[in-house]
Amino acid sequence: MPSRRSFLAMTAAAPLALPARGATRPVRLVAAERPATLPGRSGTSPLWTYGGDWPLALSVRRGEAFEAVLENRLADHTSIHWHGVRVPFAMDGVPHVTQKPVEPGQDFTYRFSPPDPGTFFFHPHCDTMQALSRGLAGVLIVEDPREEGLFDADHLLVLKDWRVRPDGGFEPFSTDAGAARAGTFGGLRTVNGAAAPALKAPPGARIRLRVVNIDPTRVPVLELAGAEGRVIATDGNACAPFPVQGWALGPAMRAEIAFIQPARPGAEVVLRDVWGQEAFPLARIITEGAARGADRRPLRLPEAELPEPQLKGAPVIEMSLLTGHADPKLEAWMKETGMSLDALCLSERIFWSINRRAWPGMSHEHLPPPLAELKSGRSYVIEMLNGTPHRHPMHLHGHTFKVLGSNQRRLPPHWADTVLVEPKERLRIAFVAGEPGDWMFHCHIIEHQETGMMGYFRVS
Ligand code: C2O
Ligand code: CU
């Protein structure tokens, strides 16, 4: 389990941890409003959390049975999507599509055995802009026995901004101006709930940073100053190490970074975001304590073990990411069935679309056509074409895909569940279609998702 410092003063009880191996006691995730004080604020903010520390981190071993009971103590329905984990369809946490919404006062038990090691996260899948903005998310670390002893220190860094006033009250989470462009940004930037936290590490220590971007909007461009940092895993999946410098971490993306802590006491390694005019420090790691022995093993993870797509003969399906407009077919369908936008987790505003459709996930009884129909076990190439002036971190549920390449830039070969598509870019991914079901495919700038940039692939 990576170490983690929690900075928010929570009113909740003891931190959550998983039961000892072999035990069957499930984790309880009690979704509720819990006021907490954010850095530099004079009063508390009405956060929504799952209880315990913030950020909340759970860990489980690869392949081991995991059980979590979600208890809903919020005023509206909720569910949990296990982002990036190749879960069975019924555990994917999309209301109306994979399960009934969990109503206030009700609970739902999630059970699965995570097949892949790595750093994942979880969050609701309706009213997500509000929920994520208030902090309702957690990290799931899937441990791999093959990684034991590879690192001297393992730190979790959870990136999230807050739209919060000096008195602690929240500002409106979404604005039309933001939703129709790059998103509505939070002014208070935090890592693990703190402003640029400082960690300590012994000279020569082998460090692993698990950087998780749970922000619904911001795309930091990472840089590690003071040490030679390499990305060793993308979205939790091991990759051939490549330099951190310039790696853009879109909403929902994770990057694991490995480096050797410099020997000089007091030396500082700084993880920063170099997107803006001035580099913004995210976290510092300061050399302190007794030197570590010279472990010369390469700083990399055992290779990812994922279904390898067969590219030869694989159908190529195009997904055009476009701006949106109201869909007359959707409107007619809603009139006919009496479905409301609310029940569909959809906002009235439509700014975005995929293949000219601005469609959310709908109820199973009245399902609109999928974006694509796939056969379980077959390989597919999806070519995404960004016809908008903004970047979109595109996420596919329940699958880990291979990023094949772009017509615009050199990308290191890597596995992902969320990939940034730049304006005018054509980017190809490939994967083996998994378990039958309707798997959501959407932008993870949540305001884009909620204003049209969402659909699903039907696997049968
Ligand atoms: Cu983390 Cu459907 O998303
Ligand atoms: Cu987007």
Side-chain angles (χ1 to χ4, degrees), residues 181 352 390-394 443-446 448-449 453:
R181 298 188 180 87
W352 307 98
H390 297 282
R391 38 188 19 191
H392 302 288
M394 299 305 297
C443 180
H444 223 287
I445 289 179
I446 303 297
H448 294 182
Q449 174 193 9
M453 199 173 271

Side-chain angles (χ1 to χ4, degrees), residues 252-272:
M253 291 168 71
R254 291 88 67 209
E256 293 180 36
I257 299 171
F259 65 95
I260 303 281
Q261 185 69 24
R264 185 176 54 81
E268 240 187 48
V269 177
V270 187
L271 179 69
R272 42 193 202 186

Side-chain angles (χ1 to χ4, degrees), residues 241-254:
F242 61 87
V244 178
Q245 262 62 10
W247 188 246
L249 199 70
M253 291 168 71
R254 291 88 67 209

